[in-house]
């Protein structure tokens, strides 16, 4: 059972029906290229080596594997270019020189992302290092697939491709999934004997099944009943179907942990395409998530946290009891965002990298916060910007106020002491410090440090003129 295991991933196909410039195996499911999902499977199998068969878009496919693919796996990754593509058997022939020749070879498809690790382990076990093991499934509509042809004693004799099958064979509902485990020395022997004498004039990998039977090598069909695990992506419709299936699995997993989802069909977890960070939503007890939320990268929700409808949250930690109201956008990018216990954010707030909110902080509609710390109890409730700011406890930051943190060349810090009240529509021109307990009058442009405990005004003085008349309309 611990014989070395190598994986061949078929990824040379064009994917014409995707109608995309992107190679099919690089189309994304849950923010992650399909091929990476398959490489994850290889990692789960503790593969020794993985050979990816490339063809269409080979350069792009190789480049995409260089970054973050199969993270956590320790396998050795190689590529074999198949040019032209003469069939699945021809594809595996290209990989052969890169395989060690001992142990078991597992053949996977770069466009089949949802196979469970346990299924592949069971398949390898069924092969036992000496038999040919095929992953099969029964389909109500098996058309297009290779059919599993059995002898009267039910032993597997061969696979017949749909285009080569007789009417009687086409009535068989058990199909080959495209996934097999085969002893490496036998694979080499059988591949050498393939011909393209068939309806498609291709070298069929599936022809090795009849060779095994002829050589007296037992063929085992490991038949599963979950067709999703072997479903491939050929079109945008199928990609969307598998996306929903993947999301459904994640939603169920979260609900099983106690998370309350308003609608499991309207939740999305995604890898962060920018960093490759995995989709990882960690929830403490009694978390509630309303419909339409998208969680990207690593997000942690503390006990009792509530996420309102249609929030996009990436790379952030939301502490216990915090409430994120609808339509809020939080993106910590690589730095992260922290929302403190009992904080209230939204609706329509925007928290950017380095936003660090303390306990009971309130951030309201159309407030943008970047690279700023808001200490416990601070509030910025409406239409405001805080960038590169240190905001003290209980500060009230008025509607329409902004930090002018960028002089066109450098960024500067604004420090607002505890218990400061910044009136509405102020411009704090950084670098600037507002001393503790001070008040900045509405409409002020603050360019110099303000001492603590005083009223600071920086605006035109209001006048009311008594000797003034409204203009009257001139006679024509
Ligand atoms: C194949 C199987 C069929 C099985 C079906 C499951 C063969 C001959 N048939 O059929 O029994 O039911 O998968 O989906 O194996 N590829 C290459 N190079 C090639 C041809 C294909 O890399 O020259 C790759 C494709 O990109 C794809 C995979 O191999 O990832 C399967 O190829 P595809 O053409 O989809 O095979 P099917 O005809 O569907
Ligand atoms: Ca196919």
């Amino acid at each position: 059972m611990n014989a070395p295991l190598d994986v061949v991933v078929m990824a040379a196909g064009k994917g014409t029906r995707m109608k995309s410039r992107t190679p099919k195996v690089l189309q994304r499911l849950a923010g992650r290229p399909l091929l990476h999902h398959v490489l994850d499977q290889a990692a789960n199998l503790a593969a020794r080596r993985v050979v990816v068969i490339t063809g269409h878009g080979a350069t792009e496919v190789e480049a995409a594997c260089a970054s973050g693919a199969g993270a956590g796996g320790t396998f050795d990754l190689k590529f074999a270019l198949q040019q032209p593509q003469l069939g699945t058997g021809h594809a595996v022939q290209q990989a052969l020189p890169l395989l060690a020749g001992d142990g078991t070879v597992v053949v996977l498809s770069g466009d089949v992302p949802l196979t469970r690790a346990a299924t592949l382990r069971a398949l390898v076990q069924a092969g036992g290092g000496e038999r040919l093991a095929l992953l099969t499934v029964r389909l109500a509509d098996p058309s297009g697939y290779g059919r599993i042809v059995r002898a009267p004693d039910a032993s597997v004799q061969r696979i017949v491709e749909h285009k080569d099958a007789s009417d009687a064979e086409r009535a068989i509902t058990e199909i080959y999934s495209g996934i097999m485990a085969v002893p490496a020395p036998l694979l080499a022997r059988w591949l050498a004997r393939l011909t393209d004498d068939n309806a498609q004039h291709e070298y069929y990998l599936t022809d090795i099944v009849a060779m095994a039977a002829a050589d007296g090598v037992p063929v085992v069909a490991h038949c599963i009943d979950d067709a999703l695990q072997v479903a491939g992506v050929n079109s945008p419709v199928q990609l969307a179907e598998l996306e929903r299936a993947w999301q459904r699995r994640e939603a169920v997993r979260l609900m099983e942990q106690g998370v309350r989802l308003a609608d499991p069909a309207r939740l999305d977890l995604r890898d962060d395409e920018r960093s490759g960070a995995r989709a990882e939503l960690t929830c403490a007890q009694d978390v509630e998530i309303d419909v339409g939320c998208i969680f990207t990268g690593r997000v942690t929700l503390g006990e009792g946290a509530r996420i309102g409808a249609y929030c996009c949250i990436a790379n952030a930690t939301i502490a216990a009891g915090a409430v994120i109201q609808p339509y809020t956008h939080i993106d910590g990018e690589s730095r992260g965002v922290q929302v403190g216990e009992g904080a209230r954010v939204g609706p329509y707030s925007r928290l950017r990298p380095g936003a660090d909110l303390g306990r009971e902080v309130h951030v309201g509609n159309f407030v943008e916060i970047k690279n700023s710390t808001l200490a416990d109890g601070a509030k910025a409730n409406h239409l405001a910007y805080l960038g590169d700011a240190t905001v003290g406890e209980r500060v009230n930051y008025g509607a329409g106020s902004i930090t002018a943190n960028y002089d066109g060349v450098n960024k500067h810090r604004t420090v607002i002491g505890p218990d400061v009240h910044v009136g509405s529509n102020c411009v704090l021109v950084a670098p600037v410090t507002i001393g503790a307990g001070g008040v900045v009058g509405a409409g002020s442009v603050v360019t110099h440090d303000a001492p603590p405990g005083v009223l600071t005004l920086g605006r035109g003085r209001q006048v009311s003129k008594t000797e003034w008349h409204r203009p009257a309309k001139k006679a024509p």
Side-chain angles (χ1 to χ4, degrees):
M1 199 41 232
N2 288 328
L5 199 147
D6 297 317
V7 170
V8 172
V9 181
M10 316 277 256
K14 189 164 183 193
T16 314
R17 282 194 281 152
M18 289 304 300
K19 299 185 179 164
S20 168
R21 289 188 206 284
T22 304
K24 180 167 75 173
V25 294
L26 299 186
Q27 299 288 341
R28 289 174 186 276
L29 183 135
R32 186 169 190 75
L34 291 170
L35 183 54
H36 289 203
H37 287 268
V38 178
L39 294 175
D40 288 347
Q41 295 168 5
N44 280 330
L45 280 174
R48 169 177 61 180
R49 171 166 295 181
V50 176
V51 181
V52 177
I53 318 277
T54 60
H56 288 280
T59 326
E60 260 180 277
V61 171
E62 279 196 42
C65 289
S67 59
T74 51
F75 55 73
D76 168 29
L77 183 62
K78 301 260 188 236
F79 298 91
L81 183 66
Q82 186 200 16
Q83 202 75 273
Q85 285 95 40
L86 303 179
T88 52
H90 178 252
V92 180
Q93 280 170 353
Q94 313 311 304
L96 214 49
L98 298 173
L99 295 170
D102 64 336
T104 295
V105 175
V106 173
V107 177
L108 302 175
S109 261
D111 60 358
V112 178
L114 298 189
T115 320
R116 288 196 185 269
T119 300
L120 293 178
R121 280 197 287 269
L123 179 75
V124 170
Q125 194 140 26
E130 51 191 30
R131 293 172 291 274
L132 172 56
L134 307 172
L135 186 61
T136 69
V137 63
R138 284 183 198 284
L139 296 181
D141 175 14
S143 56
Y145 293 96
R147 308 297 207 285
I148 304 296
V149 181
R150 290 173 184 267
D153 69 354
S155 62
V156 177
Q157 286 184 309
R158 62 194 173 94
I159 292 175
V160 61
E161 291 303 310
H162 181 91
K163 287 191 176 137
D164 300 288
S166 65
D167 285 348
E169 287 164 341
R170 285 184 183 182
I172 298 171
T173 56
E174 186 184 8
I175 63 106
Y176 169 55
S177 66
I179 296 173
M180 64 167 70
V182 46
L186 298 174
L187 178 65
R189 194 209 300 171
W190 294 329
L191 285 178
R193 290 172 17 202
L194 289 181
T195 69
D196 64 353
D197 182 15
N198 53 54
Q200 303 182 80
H201 297 293
E202 283 183 8
Y203 294 88
Y204 291 164
L205 178 60
T206 45
D207 282 352
I208 71 170
V209 177
M211 295 178 192
D215 287 356
V217 174
V219 180
V220 285
H222 180 68
C223 189
I224 57 169
D225 47 17
D226 176 9
L228 271 176
Q229 287 196 50
V230 298
V233 171
N234 295 298
S235 66
V237 169
Q238 288 170 344
L239 181 60
E241 282 167 3
L242 294 195
E243 173 82 27
R244 280 340 305 163
W246 190 93
Q247 297 295 351
R248 172 84 201 172
R249 275 187 191 176
E250 293 300 307
V252 167
R253 196 176 54 75
L254 288 166
M255 291 186 294
E256 281 169 358
Q257 291 165 14
V259 177
R260 258 100 70 202
L261 300 177
D263 181 358
R266 284 183 285 171
L267 172 79
D268 286 86
L269 311 189
R270 293 180 188 158
D271 283 16
D272 189 340
E273 292 179 28
R274 300 163 298 187
S275 64
R278 297 303 183 93
E280 200 182 323
L281 176 60
T282 308
C283 298
Q285 201 165 30
D286 287 316
V287 163
E288 291 180 27
I289 301 173
D290 209 335
V291 299
C293 294
I294 301 175
F295 296 92
T296 302
R298 180 180 293 207
V299 176
T300 303
L301 305 180
E303 182 166 345
R306 276 163 38 212
I307 312 298
Y310 303 107
C311 290
C312 295
I313 303 182
N315 308 314
T317 300
I318 316 283
V323 177
I324 311 296
Q325 293 182 311
Y327 301 104
T328 290
H329 190 275
I330 298 177
D331 187 356
E333 296 179 15
S334 55
R335 271 193 73 187
V337 161
Q338 311 280 333
V339 174
E341 272 179 43
R344 202 181 71 209
V345 178
Y348 299 104
S349 304
R350 180 170 184 214
L351 304 183
R352 293 174 52 204
D356 185 348
L357 317 187
R359 302 158 68 100
E360 308 287 335
V361 162
H362 290 182
V363 173
N365 42 241
F366 307 107
V367 174
E368 174 185 352
I369 298 177
K370 186 218 75 175
N371 188 31
S372 293
T373 305
L374 277 68
D376 297 352
K379 292 183 175 64
N381 273 325
H382 335 262
L383 304 162
Y385 175 58
L386 280 161
D388 305 306
T390 304
V391 178
E393 291 170 7
R394 298 170 300 277
V395 163
N396 194 308
Y397 192 74
S401 290
I402 66 160
T403 55
N405 56 322
Y406 184 53
D407 60 15
V409 183
N410 295 304
K411 302 261 174 75
H412 303 281
R413 259 200 114 66
T414 300
V415 177
I416 305 175
D419 299 300
V420 164
H421 183 99
V422 176
S424 297
N425 228 35
C426 294
V427 180
L428 308 182
V429 182
V432 73
T433 297
I434 314 294
V439 172
V440 179
S444 292
V445 176
V446 181
T447 53
H448 297 95
D449 289 355
V454 300
L455 170 66
T456 298
L457 298 170
R459 64 187 190 209
R461 185 179 288 267
Q462 177 175 327
V463 292
S464 296
K465 303 206 172 183
T466 46
E467 288 134 37
W468 171 83
H469 301 284
R470 275 196 188 193
K473 194 147 182 101
K474 281 186 188 148

